[in-house]
Amino acid sequence: MPACSSPSYMASQAWLSQALSPSQSSHAVPVINLGRLKKDPATRALVIQDIVRACREWGCFQVVNHGISKSIMKGALEAASEFFELSAEHKEVFTSTDIRQPVRYDTSSRDGISRARSFLKHYANPLEDWVQFWPMYPPTYRKKIGEYAVEIQRVSMQLMDAILQGLGLRPMYLQEKLEKGMQFLALNNYPQFSHQDDRIGLAPHSDYGFLTILLQSSPGLEVMPHKDNSWKAIPAIPGALHVHIGDHLEVLSNGQLKSLVHRAILNPAEARISIASIHGLSMDEKVNCAKELVDDHHPKLYRGSSFHDFLDFLPSNIEYKRFVESLKIDGA
C-alpha cells in the first residue's frame, strides 16, 4: 500500500482537515512573529498590541520566530518519548503520591482531570538547582531537556515583558522575580485514540502559573477561547509554540486577562507527546493584583496566593474546580 494511502496517513489527514476546517480556520488562533519584538519601537508596540489582543480575546496564541532551534525542540520531544519508552523499572523510581516531590512520574494523575496519559513532572529553573534530580535515563535526557528548558525560560521572559507592558505596567515589571521564578515542566504521553475508550486525554482545566508554553508532537490540544466559548482545535504548526494564560496572570492583571480553559483529545493517528512549561514566581512568593491596576473604578478582585497555596488546594479539590475561582473575593 502506498504510504500516502496508509490508514495512519489518512487518519492524520482527516484529523488535520478537521482542525483546519473553515469554521476553525476563519477564527484561527493568532500566530505572533516574536522576532518582531526586537525591531524598532513602533513595530514592537504593534506586536505588543497583537499579543495583548490575543490574550484578551482568546486567552492564547502561537509564536513563531522565537529563536529556539528546531534541533533543540526535536531533541526535547525525542528525550521525552525515549523516557516514556523506558522499562517500568526505570520510570517507577519517580512514582510518588506526594505532589511536592521535585520529580514525579505517574500513569494516572491525582488532580482529578487526567483520564488517559502518563506524565513526568519536574522543576527546571534555575536549571543548576534542579537538574541533579532529573532522570539519568535515557542518557541524553538531562542535556536535551535542559537545553530546551533554558530556551523556553528565555522566551517566557520576553512574553511576560510584552504582556505586562501591554497592560500598562512599566518595562521590566517583576523582571528579577520572574528570572528567579518557578519553571515547572510537565511531559505528557497520550496513547493513540481507540474507539473503545474515552477520547478525552485530559479534562478541561486551566493552569495555575502566569504562562504555559506548550510544544506538541501532533494535534490534540483544544482550547475554549474567551470570545466565543466553544472548543477550538489547535493545529501543531511545525516550529511553533503554543502559549496560554494561567490563573496567576488573571490575578496579577486584576481580571483584565482571563486564564484559558483547555483540554487534550486523543489523536486517532498516533500517540502524542507534549511538553508544557509553566512559568510563575518562586514557590513561596504570593501573586497579588498589580496595585497599578487597582483603583476606585477597578476594585481588587482576587486574593493573593502562592504556588504552595495551589498545592494545598489540590487535595481538597474533590469536585474539580479551577484554582482561580477559589481566589475570587466575594462581592468584588
Side-chain angles (χ1 to χ4, degrees), residues 20 49 68 118 121 124 128 153 160 169 175 185 195 282-283 290 295 301 303 305-306 322-323:
L20 299 173
Q49 186 179 65
I68 304 179
S118 52
K121 297 180 177 181
E128 59 270 20
Q153 174 67 11
M160 282 298 297
L169 300 172
Q175 182 187 26
L185 295 182
H195 291 288
S282 61
M283 296 182 186
D295 57 33
L301 299 178
R303 294 188 300 276
S305 68
S306 67
R322 296 164 61 212
F323 178 54

Side-chain angles (χ1 to χ4, degrees), residues 210-225:
F210 286 150
L211 293 178
T212 296
I213 304 177
L214 183 77
L215 174 65
Q216 53 178 345
S217 65
S218 58
L221 175 66
E222 290 191 348
V223 304
M224 186 171 286

Side-chain angles (χ1 to χ4, degrees), residues 199-242:
R199 64 191 290 262
I200 305 295
L202 194 61
H205 65 287
S206 60
D207 295 336
Y208 51 82
F210 286 150
L211 293 178
T212 296
I213 304 177
L214 183 77
L215 174 65
Q216 53 178 345
S217 65
S218 58
L221 175 66
E222 290 191 348
V223 304
M224 186 171 286
H226 303 322
K227 63 178 185 175
D228 58 13
N229 210 35
S230 61
W231 289 113
K232 303 292 184 185
I234 300 298
I237 301 173
L241 295 165
H242 176 82

Side-chain angles (χ1 to χ4, degrees), residues 51-59 166-167 226-227 256-257:
I51 290 173
V52 174
R53 183 185 303 113
C55 291
R56 292 185 192 278
E57 296 182 359
W58 281 79
L167 288 171
H226 303 322
K227 63 178 185 175
Q256 288 195 36
L257 306 180

Side-chain angles (χ1 to χ4, degrees), residues 29-37 47 51 61-68 70 73 154-155 158-159 213 235-243:
V29 62
V31 178
I32 306 293
N33 181 345
L34 207 56
R36 296 179 70 236
L37 278 176
V47 178
I51 290 173
F61 52 93
Q62 296 206 357
V63 292
V64 296
N65 197 16
H66 41 65
I68 304 179
K70 290 182 179 179
M73 297 169 71
R154 174 185 59 78
V155 171
Q158 284 185 289
L159 289 171
I213 304 177
I237 301 173
L241 295 165
H242 176 82
V243 182

Side-chain angles (χ1 to χ4, degrees), residues 102-124:
V103 182
R104 189 164 68 94
Y105 168 80
D106 207 343
T107 55
S108 61
S109 175
R110 303 170 204 286
D111 54 15
I113 60 172
S114 296
R115 297 192 186 173
R117 69 164 177 165
S118 52
F119 63 79
L120 179 70
K121 297 180 177 181
H122 57 67
Y123 303 103

Side-chain angles (χ1 to χ4, degrees), residues 134-303:
W134 292 6
M136 297 182 67
Y137 297 96
T140 60
Y141 183 91
R142 293 182 175 183
K143 178 178 184 296
K144 289 182 176 179
I145 297 296
E147 289 175 341
Y148 178 73
V150 168
E151 289 293 283
I152 287 291
Q153 174 67 11
R154 174 185 59 78
V155 171
S156 77
M157 293 293 298
Q158 284 185 289
L159 289 171
M160 282 298 297
D161 186 42
I163 291 169
L164 295 177
Q165 285 190 53
L167 288 171
L169 300 172
R170 65 181 183 275
M172 303 304 176
Y173 186 87
L174 289 181
Q175 182 187 26
E176 185 176 348
K177 290 184 177 181
L178 288 167
E179 286 177 344
K180 297 177 180 178
M182 183 189 65
Q183 179 184 16
F184 185 71
L185 295 182
L187 290 71
N188 304 297
N189 181 36
Y190 296 97
Q192 183 176 353
F193 173 67
S194 167
H195 291 288
Q196 298 175 346
D197 301 325
D198 188 342
R199 64 191 290 262
I200 305 295
L202 194 61
H205 65 287
S206 60
D207 295 336
Y208 51 82
F210 286 150
L211 293 178
T212 296
I213 304 177
L214 183 77
L215 174 65
Q216 53 178 345
S217 65
S218 58
L221 175 66
E222 290 191 348
V223 304
M224 186 171 286
H226 303 322
K227 63 178 185 175
D228 58 13
N229 210 35
S230 61
W231 289 113
K232 303 292 184 185
I234 300 298
I237 301 173
L241 295 165
H242 176 82
V243 182
H244 60 245
I245 302 304
D247 290 348
H248 271 160
L249 189 48
E250 179 171 334
V251 171
L252 184 70
S253 71
N254 198 30
Q256 288 195 36
L257 306 180
K258 303 293 186 182
S259 60
L260 180 75
V261 175
H262 56 286
R263 66 183 183 181
I265 303 296
L266 301 185
N267 191 316
E270 58 188 335
R272 173 175 172 263
I273 297 289
S274 72
I275 304 176
S277 184
I278 300 173
H279 300 264
L281 299 186
S282 61
M283 296 182 186
D284 295 316
E285 185 85 34
K286 284 191 179 291
V287 176
N288 287 284
C289 303
K291 65 180 185 297
E292 296 88 343
L293 303 179
V294 176
D295 57 33
D296 291 342
H297 299 289
H298 304 91
K300 183 178 179 180
L301 299 178
Y302 306 88
R303 294 188 300 276

